[in-house]
Amino acid sequence: MKRPLIVQKFGGTSVGSVERIHNAAEHVIRAKTSGKQVVVVVSAMSGETNRLVELAKQIDKVPNVRELDVLLSTGEQISMALLSMTLSKLGHAAVSLTGGQARITTNNNHNNATISHIDTSVIDDYLAQDKIVIVAGFQGINDIGDITTLGRGGSDTTAVALAGALNAQECQIFTDVDGVYSCDPRIVSKAQKLDTIDFPTMHEMAHKGAKVLHLPCVAYAWKHQVPLRVLSSFEDGEGTLVAGIESKQGISGLAIRKQMVALTVLAEHADNIDKQRKMLGVADGHWVTDSTYKRLLVGADCCDKLRMVIDDKVEATQDVALLTLVGANTKEQASQYQQLLNLSDISVLHFCEDKHSITLVLEPGTIDKAANVLHDNYIIASESVLREEKQVHLG
Ligand code: ADP
Ligand code: ASP
Ligand code: MG
């Protein structure tokens, strides 16, 4: 009978050194010796992808997209080989596969590709030989066999897509925090760890900048009902289970997005610019409207690429950061945030409203303080009201 299978993914810091790779191997061995088949997905060692991007940019500010994918995919290959060697040394048969070797096919959107199909036959054969299979995250091949990558943070998506294709019991995302929090715990000291988070909230958090999970990973797990758990590779614990579609009322979390640029253009050029943005594969762009002007908010990393095409239409450029309150949805709420932040000498440059959230556009230097202020007032305060209500109820 086929044994149950799990997919374990280890992010950059979890494979950041030979010691960390050894620690990851121990997690894998624990799962294997408990009777499971294990498929492992690895990211590049921490800092490696950034190093490769910097090398490419020393040659060309806007590198050729195909060649950039060839370069960036090597980061994950280093980790997969080192983990495979470690497992073998510890007495467990393992084999590492690139995205192409694992038959992960994507569309042709270099640097931000989408997985279109996984043929699991190669992985299945190795699992049948009782091997631990290690797959390089963040990469695949397109129809003509060229290497593609899935966008920064994309190894999470490789893991979930493999878990779906292999019908895994669970997809475990091992990272450097012990679960999903109400806000980035490195910025908001009182952020609360969540035991579970529903898919709509997690999706909105990831969409608005919570990089703990790659957005397509959440979308895929939601659509295909893949059991998904975020855990620490540094300490034991149950982590956070991402499951269910029932969102709680009110503000459920804050997402932060740093290193954004606001490009001011005349409103009449906006449609054209948006078309060009999409053609260039710059996936996320939010628009803020004034009367005559519109502002396009894009990640600083894609700004050079975009400006090559629209530079003559850009009236002004400003570095900004975004703070999104997930679960907020009324105009009145937006002005309450503004008043509260003004009391802390923080000015809100603009607002963007979405169906399930409100985003504040802020000066980069004020974002951490703003996140703490709003978290204290809308997450911590509402939790204590709930606690008091519960106590009254229980007598
Ligand atoms: P990995 O390299 O393991 O993929 P990432 O750096 O991509 O790790 O994601 C983990 C980081 O996500 C954490 O270190 C934390 O700073 C950040 N983060 C942002 N928002 C959240 C959140 N709501 N909950 C937990 N971590 C978050
Ligand atoms: N190594 C890639 C990155 O740094 C992919 C990942 O870590 O998920 O973005
Ligand atoms: Mg990540």
Side-chain angles (χ1 to χ4, degrees), residues 9 153 156 211:
K9 177 256 171 179
D156 298 337
K211 69 166 184 159

Side-chain angles (χ1 to χ4, degrees), residues 9 11-12 43-44 49-50 76 138 151-156:
K9 177 256 171 179
S43 291
T49 309
N50 285 347
E76 273 65 16
F138 171 63
R152 297 305 304 267
S155 300
D156 298 337

